[in-house]
């Protein structure tokens, strides 16, 4: 599957295994078995909830504390995404989580941008610019206690690198006990700077967290899948043109739904909600975007028409420049709209 678009992808949750092994060697960490490494990086089917899921980020973060680390992580991940057939990705990470060994938030972002730029140079040697993978970075503020200054600093760094590799802001971390509305100053500042943002909501906590995110001006919601608990609210999201960044396997891992057989993405499409399909954390969830599409085809009967609509929704919501959106639209339409049934699907 080609021409894929992922607008909800976490860097620290998606490190390729080869990259983890490479960085472990660089940092002279003890060699461990592949089985133990898998246990440290990826969830098992017995994962109980979002909090347990988030524990899997501790180990990779230890390998992401120098500029060289972050450069390697971004570069290697982009190579893997290109191999998977992605043509656009928004990769998010929290620069405040990468300051344990002396980096500033600015240093962390500068290193990630360098990795992105060097990937583009590497990619240019293949001579297929129309279908190249383009990527942008989103900087995450975090739901922690007493870290407002760090979160506000993240917005300042985003302003410095805005449209220079960084195109947006996010809020991530455990939802329970950390209401979105508590982080309004972060998004007020982003709004002042003209930086677009998305907010994780409606995953570990319910509809109220989505409503708080919307009240703060979010047009995109990270996950948001629990909106289905209220059909009237689903209708409101459709009317307001709110985009949901859906991540199916991740939501099964955190026990929001019992299995993919119950995943409501087709219902939301039928209700005209602007849903998208994304991978969230490839390594933590043992997935990637081609696998996400394949699973939903097999388990839910997701159709080619619906897949095109998911991609069009992602193009519409992407924090990308108009020229990039037009490139993506041309790719989706020229390479995938091959019959009248597809042509009708976008209207």
């Amino acid at each position: 599957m080609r021409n894929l678009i992922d607008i909800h992808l976490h860097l620290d949750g998606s490190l390729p295994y080869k990259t983890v092994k490479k960085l472990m060697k660089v940092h002279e960490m003890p060699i461990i078995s592949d089985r133990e490494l898998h246990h440290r990086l990826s969830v098992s089917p017995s994962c109980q909830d979002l909090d347990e899921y988030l524990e899997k980020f501790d180990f990779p973060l230890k390998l992401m504390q120098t500029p060289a680390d972050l450069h390697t992580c971004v570069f290697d991940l982009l190579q893997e995404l290109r191999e998977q057939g992605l043509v656009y990705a928004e990769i998010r990470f929290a620069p405040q989580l990468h300051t344990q060994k002396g980096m500033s938030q600015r240093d962390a972002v500068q290193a990630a941008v360098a990795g992105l730029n060097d990937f583009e140079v590497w990619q240019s040697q293949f001579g297929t610019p129309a279908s190249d993978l383009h990527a942008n970075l989103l900087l995450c503020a975090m739901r922690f206690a007493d870290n407002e200054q760090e979160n506000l600093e993240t917005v300042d760094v985003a302003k410095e690198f805005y449209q220079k590799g960084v195109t947006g802001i996010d809020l991530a971390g455990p939802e329970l006990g950390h209401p979105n509305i508590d982080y309004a100053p972060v998004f007020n500042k982003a709004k002042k700077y003209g930086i677009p943002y998305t907010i994780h909501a409606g995953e570990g906590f319910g509809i109220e967290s989505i409503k708080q995110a919307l009240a703060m001006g979010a047009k995109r919601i990270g996950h948001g899948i629990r909106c289905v608990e209220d059909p009237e609210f689903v209708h409101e999201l459709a009317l307001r043109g709110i985009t949901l960044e859906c991540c199916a396997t991740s939501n099964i891992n955190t026990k929001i739904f019992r299995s993919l057989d119950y995943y409501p993405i087709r219902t939301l499409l039928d209700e005209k909600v602007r849903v998208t399909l994304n991978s969230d954390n490839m390594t933590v969830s043992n997935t990637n975007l081609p696998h996400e599409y394949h699973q939903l085809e097999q388990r839910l009967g997701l159709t080619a028409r619906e897949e095109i609509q998911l991609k069009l929704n992602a193009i519409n919501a992407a924090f990308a420049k108009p020229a990039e959106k037009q490139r993506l639209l041309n790719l989706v339409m020229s390479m995938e709209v091959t019959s009248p049934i597809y042509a009708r699907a976008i209207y």
Side-chain angles (χ1 to χ4, degrees):
M1 180 176 289
R2 312 299 293 178
N3 298 331
L4 297 174
I5 300 164
D6 197 325
I7 61 172
H8 190 118
L9 175 63
H10 290 268
L11 176 63
D12 48 1
S14 300
L15 298 189
Y17 271 85
K18 68 175 184 179
T19 305
V20 172
K21 291 181 178 181
K22 182 193 306 183
L23 292 175
M24 288 177 68
K25 186 175 182 179
V26 167
H27 292 290
E28 300 180 335
M29 298 177 69
I31 297 174
I32 60 176
S33 68
D34 287 350
R35 182 174 182 177
E36 174 61 22
L37 186 59
H38 189 276
H39 173 73
R40 294 191 185 186
L41 294 172
S42 305
V43 295
S44 71
S46 62
C47 179
Q48 294 301 305
D49 53 28
L50 178 60
D51 288 342
E52 182 177 345
Y53 185 87
L54 293 175
E55 292 174 2
K56 296 301 178 180
F57 293 83
D58 294 342
F59 184 69
L61 282 171
K62 293 177 182 178
L63 303 170
M64 305 171 71
Q65 297 300 326
T66 72
D69 293 343
L70 278 171
H71 180 285
T72 296
C73 292
V74 171
F75 186 90
D76 285 6
L77 176 58
L78 288 169
Q79 284 187 318
E80 183 157 311
L81 295 177
R82 185 181 190 275
E83 187 70 21
Q84 292 170 11
L86 271 72
V87 289
Y88 182 76
E90 291 180 353
I91 301 172
R92 59 188 75 190
F93 76 107
Q96 64 188 271
L97 298 180
H98 304 277
T99 60
Q100 298 172 16
K101 291 186 177 180
M103 273 199 299
S104 65
Q105 290 198 47
R106 185 187 185 281
D107 293 336
V109 175
Q110 186 172 42
V113 170
L116 189 157
N117 292 338
D118 284 350
F119 167 79
E120 292 179 350
V121 172
W122 171 84
Q123 180 175 238
S124 66
Q125 68 183 293
F126 296 101
T128 55
S131 58
D132 278 350
L133 166 62
H134 294 178
N136 286 308
L137 301 172
L138 306 186
L139 304 188
C140 297
M142 295 301 299
R143 294 186 183 93
F144 296 148
D146 304 319
N147 72 323
E148 183 171 307
Q149 289 308 309
E150 288 86 350
N151 284 339
L152 293 174
E153 181 182 350
T154 299
V155 183
D156 287 332
V157 175
K159 179 187 178 185
E160 179 179 354
F161 288 92
Y162 185 54
Q163 300 296 7
K164 301 172 185 176
V166 173
T167 56
I169 297 288
D170 181 27
L171 177 65
E175 290 182 41
L176 287 174
H178 300 278
N180 284 329
I181 202 68
D182 289 352
Y183 300 88
V186 173
F187 296 100
N188 288 338
K189 192 170 194 177
K191 195 180 302 182
K192 176 183 175 183
Y193 291 158
I195 302 173
Y197 49 88
T198 178
I199 298 177
H200 276 71
E203 182 190 16
F205 194 45
I207 288 174
E208 180 57 31
S209 68
I210 305 175
K211 291 181 176 180
Q212 290 179 8
L214 297 179
M216 293 190 290
K219 303 298 184 185
R220 278 171 50 176
I221 301 295
H223 297 286
I225 198 68
R226 290 181 61 182
C227 66
V228 295
E229 295 170 6
D230 183 346
E232 290 187 6
F233 187 57
V234 169
H235 182 63
E236 179 184 341
L237 294 177
L239 288 177
R240 295 176 63 174
I242 302 300
T243 298
L244 303 185
E245 304 162 2
C246 297
C247 309
T249 296
S250 173
N251 293 160
I252 305 305
N253 292 154
T254 56
K255 300 298 185 287
I256 298 175
F257 299 96
R258 286 183 291 168
S259 76
L260 286 174
D261 299 321
Y262 300 95
Y263 200 68
I265 197 165
R266 296 191 72 197
T267 299
L268 291 169
L269 281 170
D270 289 344
E271 293 295 326
K272 310 302 181 186
V273 178
R274 294 183 181 182
V275 288
T276 63
L277 183 61
N278 310 280
S279 61
D280 199 10
N281 297 289
M282 296 197 305
T283 306
V284 175
S285 287
N286 300 294
T287 193
N288 57 44
L289 196 51
H291 182 63
E292 293 295 296
Y293 274 97
H294 179 71
Q295 284 203 111
L296 295 189
E297 289 167 359
Q298 297 297 310
R299 302 288 288 275
L300 298 180
L302 191 71
T303 67
R305 174 183 297 187
E306 290 166 331
E307 290 180 5
I308 288 176
Q309 190 61 56
L310 291 169
K311 293 178 183 180
L312 293 175
N313 290 343
I315 294 169
N316 181 72
F319 296 152
K321 294 179 180 179
E324 174 62 10
K325 291 191 175 192
Q326 187 61 53
R327 180 187 79 96
L328 295 173
L329 183 62
N330 291 343
L331 278 172
V332 170
M333 298 303 293
S334 66
M335 298 184 72
E336 300 196 50
V337 180
T338 57
S339 73
I341 190 171
Y342 288 137
R344 290 195 299 271
I346 66 168
Y347 298 112

